[in-house]
Amino acid sequence: MSTASLPAAADPTPGPHHVAIIMDGNGRWAKARGLPRVAGHRRGADAVRRVVRGAGELGIPVLTLFAFSTENWTRPADEVNDLMGLLRHYLRNELEELHKNGARLRVIGNRDGLAADIVRDIDEAQKMTKANARIDVNICINYGARDEILQATRSLARSVAAGELAADGIDEARFEQELLTAGVPDPDLLIRTSGEQRISNFLLWQCAYAELVFVDTLWPDFGKEHLERAIAEFRRRERRYGGVGG
């Protein structure tokens, strides 16, 4: 459902406690303006800054952003290099603001394939912000949900084969310990920008009961007011978790 015409009205219903966002539309934003795709990615980085700040102001405890998927490696090499450059810029130039605003940064994804300096920057950013408690900001880089689930399954299978774990001892809680998001609460609300209505291999296990909100706004134009509208839509919904509504 698009929230393009929804008012950002206040609502007393609690939550969401964890908002996940698929940041989509950078390329289309640039194309519409006759600019190279990297220009859209750069403006998208500005949107990240606005939304992280806005989420903190709105009191959202956890924010997760899908920045680079395992499938994104198939894009043209120049675009991938530009995206990696923007990642370096973000980790090195936005860290002070994140830290100042009480954000704890966590990067979720497979580090294989990432340049050594990016891995080092990730480690330093996580170390600097680990004691912050105002908002948890998770950035998914080189992340794919199917691969995450496969890796978790293989890890559990190895434990069973080694006699360290009984097959009957594998329940949802134990499975979640093997996921890359271990220790992170499941999202209540998943937002995708740009009008596309799919979740694109993002947090498949974790979003089993998330409310989905699709907005027409392209990511570079997304800001706190759009986040507020999505939250307002979330609060109007009745969450049943498979049960019967009132």
Side-chain angles (χ1 to χ4, degrees):
M1 174 180 179
S2 170
T3 62
S5 61
L6 294 173
D11 189 296
T13 305
H17 302 289
H18 180 178
V19 175
I21 304 178
I22 299 174
M23 306 179 292
D24 192 21
N26 291 346
R28 274 168 283 173
W29 184 93
K31 183 178 180 180
R33 291 160 177 79
L35 299 171
R37 289 178 64 86
V38 67
H41 295 312
R42 288 170 180 160
R43 286 297 294 266
D46 293 337
V48 169
R49 184 184 307 111
R50 292 195 303 270
V51 170
V52 169
R53 186 184 302 121
E57 292 169 354
L58 293 170
I60 296 171
V62 185
L63 176 69
T64 299
L65 304 173
F66 199 10
F68 190 89
S69 75
T70 52
E71 291 79 15
N72 287 156
W73 293 110
T74 63
R75 293 187 177 188
D78 287 348
E79 183 174 355
V80 170
N81 290 335
D82 287 336
L83 287 166
M84 290 297 110
L86 285 171
L87 175 57
R88 288 185 177 91
H89 177 83
Y90 186 84
L91 290 169
R92 297 171 186 176
N93 294 279
E94 299 296 326
L95 186 56
E96 284 297 333
E97 179 171 348
L98 286 170
H99 189 45
K100 180 179 67 176
N101 291 327
R104 178 168 56 187
L105 181 68
R106 176 175 178 176
V107 175
I108 296 172
N110 188 343
R111 296 190 181 188
D112 293 343
L114 296 179
D117 65 310
I118 291 179
V119 173
R120 184 184 64 247
D121 290 344
I122 289 171
D123 288 339
E124 290 177 358
Q126 292 183 154
K127 182 178 180 180
M128 175 183 282
T129 63
K130 67 179 181 179
N132 294 338
R134 185 186 184 199
I135 181 174
D136 286 350
V137 177
N138 305 309
I139 300 180
C140 293
I141 298 169
N142 200 19
Y143 172 87
R146 286 185 173 183
D147 182 65
E148 175 188 35
I149 291 169
L150 284 173
Q151 292 299 328
T153 302
R154 291 179 184 130
S155 177
L156 290 169
R158 286 192 292 267
S159 294
V160 171
E164 301 167 353
L165 176 67
D168 290 343
I170 301 174
D171 56 12
E172 289 190 10
R174 182 65 185 85
F175 188 83
E176 288 172 354
Q177 291 176 18
E178 300 297 327
L179 296 174
L180 295 171
T181 55
V184 178
D186 289 344
D188 309 285
L189 170 61
L190 172 63
I191 302 168
R192 181 172 186 146
T193 61
S194 86
E196 300 293 342
Q197 299 189 17
R198 56 183 180 273
I199 58 176
S200 297
N201 199 22
F202 182 51
L203 301 178
L204 297 180
W205 174 279
Q206 299 87 341
C207 283
Y209 284 102
E211 295 295 323
L212 309 182
V213 173
F214 303 105
V215 303
D216 294 331
T217 305
L218 300 175
W219 177 249
D221 294 326
F222 196 87
K224 179 181 177 182
E225 67 276 14
H226 302 93
L227 182 60
E228 287 179 296
R229 293 191 185 106
I231 290 171
E233 166 62 16
F234 169 87
R235 291 175 175 173
R236 278 191 281 270
R237 298 183 183 179
E238 181 181 2
R239 307 189 74 203
R240 301 177 184 177
Y241 300 98
V244 177

